[in-house]
Amino acid sequence: VVIAGIGQLPVGEHYTASLRGLALDAIELALQDAGGLKPDILYVANMLSPVLSHQAHLGALIADFAGMVGIEASTIEAGGASGGAALRMGYLAVTAGQADVVLVVGVEKITDQLGPGNEASQMLNVDSDYEAVQGMTPVSQAAMLMRRYLYEYQPPRAAFGGFPRVAHANAVSNPNAMYRSALSATAYDQASVVSDPLNLFDVAPVADGAAAVVLTRRDFLPAQMPHPLVRISGSSHSTGRLALHDREDILDLEPARRSVERACRQAGIRPGDVDLFELYDSSSIIAALSLEAAGFAQRGQGWRLAQDDQLGLNGLLPVSTFGGLKARGNPGGATGLYQAVEAVLQLRGAAGPNQVPNASRALIQCLGGPAANAATHVLERI
């Protein structure tokens, strides 16, 4: 399965744009990049539109608005992993021969509501009956995980600042990033607490955005493509227990671990064979736990990778190469598609000042809830 076209919009506060308008702009960019291929199926990744935009049925809505009436179209929702789950659905459709061309678009319009309504919408990703009803949010969940991590492994609290510093350094040269400014160690250490022990720079900002990819088979491509080809060589989606209190070990992101193992096994590689990892850094603690789950660090040692530029563009394992969720911004259900687009740019050698040297293989992963589900893909330059 080849990613023939990509498109993305700047992540931010698009107050004057509609949900369907954002999706269409990303779709048009991806279709143009794909040389005019016509999709047979449209998958729309979204997490919060029914609540924030009072709009469900996005498959039909966006297919109609994009002038694709008559094609198969549906919405894929898997919390923060919606983008990766929709990408996998597109991958499966092409692999199974059910479609020659699949268009996958992720779109989120966070700013359709502000204040308490927006905050409450984020609680849809936790267990409503046993967690949200008690006032738990994704941020407070992450704070609980970090508190336990600090207790179990005793890392220096300041060490977690390495994750947002890497993300912000990479976002400086990304025109689509929400926060294009570097972050100093001093600024991190002095930041206000959001949910103890998480501070302001430990948590990724939610925002509006849309990104799209076009999938097809290699033999269905136009004779001349204007860019190097990238294929999906591994794809996996795994789930686990949603509520933290139901887990045997809250610091073991089982779905993330399983999905990496399965995707890498399918691609015939080990995690260490990739040149970059677009991880789901919704918070600093999730970044550390994701590195451990993926096998890049031992349990309790993920924070060490954020030291000494090991995760920078020229490091041993570049992550968040365009700013990640922390600095590029976290557009909910669209995040997984942004990761795919950014990885494709790296593998095409078209990442500009954000280019990872000689990148030929990438691992991308997005997580839903507190890693209750994980969608992971291996992308390779052909």
Side-chain angles (χ1 to χ4, degrees):
V1 177
V2 175
I3 300 179
I6 57 175
Q8 64 175 324
L9 304 183
V11 176
E13 298 174 335
H14 296 278
Y15 291 110
T16 60
S18 66
L19 183 81
R20 69 188 79 188
L22 290 174
L24 178 59
D25 288 346
I27 286 171
E28 289 179 336
L29 290 172
L31 291 177
Q32 181 181 9
D33 190 52
L37 290 174
K38 303 297 183 183
D40 307 304
I41 298 177
L42 167 67
Y43 290 119
V44 181
N46 179 268
M47 182 171 68
L48 297 173
S49 176
V51 175
L52 294 182
S53 303
H54 305 293
Q55 178 67 64
H57 211 178
L58 295 186
L61 177 82
I62 292 173
D64 180 10
F65 196 63
M68 300 178 186
V69 174
I71 72 168
E72 177 181 340
S74 55
T75 310
I76 306 299
E77 188 277 315
S82 298
L87 181 63
R88 176 162 171 78
M89 291 297 292
Y91 168 84
L92 292 174
V94 174
T95 302
Q98 295 299 304
D100 295 320
V101 181
V102 176
L103 172 63
V104 186
V105 61
V107 62
E108 205 73 66
K109 190 68 164 48
I110 301 293
T111 57
D112 274 349
Q113 282 192 42
L114 301 176
N118 191 296
E119 291 294 324
S121 72
Q122 306 300 319
M123 299 167 71
L124 295 175
N125 284 298
V126 305
D127 188 314
S128 177
D129 289 340
Y130 295 99
E131 293 180 317
V133 71
Q134 307 294 340
M136 181 176 283
T137 68
V139 174
S140 61
Q141 276 187 330
M144 292 175 67
L145 293 176
M146 192 170 191
R147 175 64 65 193
R148 186 66 190 181
Y149 192 97
L150 292 170
Y151 172 80
E152 290 278 355
Y153 304 116
Q154 302 294 310
R157 173 63 187 85
F160 286 90
F163 295 108
R165 287 201 303 274
V166 166
H168 277 265
N170 294 341
V172 168
S173 49
N174 177 12
N176 294 304
M178 188 175 182
Y179 293 117
R180 301 179 60 191
S181 56
L183 175 65
S184 69
T186 300
Y188 176 83
D189 293 339
Q190 295 178 352
S192 58
V193 173
V194 174
S195 184
D196 191 26
L198 295 175
N199 71 30
L200 180 66
F201 293 114
D202 283 312
V203 182
V206 293
D208 306 334
V213 300
V214 178
L215 307 178
T216 188
R217 299 188 308 274
R218 191 172 182 179
D219 59 2
F220 204 77
L221 290 169
Q224 296 293 328
M225 291 295 289
H227 47 69
L229 298 180
V230 174
R231 71 186 180 108
I232 299 175
S233 59
S235 173
S236 177
H237 189 189
S238 178
T239 60
R241 297 184 182 276
L242 178 58
L244 292 184
H245 63 260
D246 285 330
R247 302 183 185 188
E248 293 184 9
D249 182 351
I250 64 172
L251 298 182
D252 179 13
L253 305 188
E254 283 189 78
R257 173 164 46 81
R258 280 195 300 266
S259 66
V260 168
E261 291 172 351
R262 293 171 182 174
C264 288
R265 187 182 308 120
Q266 181 183 359
I269 67 167
R270 296 172 298 178
D273 294 329
V274 303
D275 300 303
L276 61 118
F277 182 24
E278 293 299 341
L279 49 68
Y280 194 78
D281 57 334
S282 56
S283 64
S284 298
I285 182 61
I286 293 297
L289 293 175
S290 294
L291 288 167
E292 295 173 16
F296 294 113
Q298 296 295 318
R299 291 287 302 272
Q301 301 299 307
W303 60 272
R304 294 186 183 276
L305 291 178
Q307 316 304 306
D308 304 323
D309 295 325
Q310 294 188 65
L311 303 180
L313 295 177
N314 294 296
L316 295 175
L317 180 67
V319 303
S320 305
T321 62
F322 283 87
L325 283 71
K326 176 59 195 73
R328 178 243 293 131
N330 177 12
T335 293
L337 274 303
Y338 274 91
Q339 292 176 319
V341 168
E342 291 164 352
V344 169
L345 288 173
Q346 291 287 357
L347 301 181
R348 287 180 180 179
N354 290 75
Q355 185 66 51
V356 173
N358 304 312
S360 62
R361 187 182 289 119
L363 186 69
I364 62 175
Q365 182 179 79
C366 52
L367 307 176
N373 70 77
T376 304
H377 293 82
V378 178
L379 276 55
E380 296 184 358
R381 185 177 66 227
I382 298 176

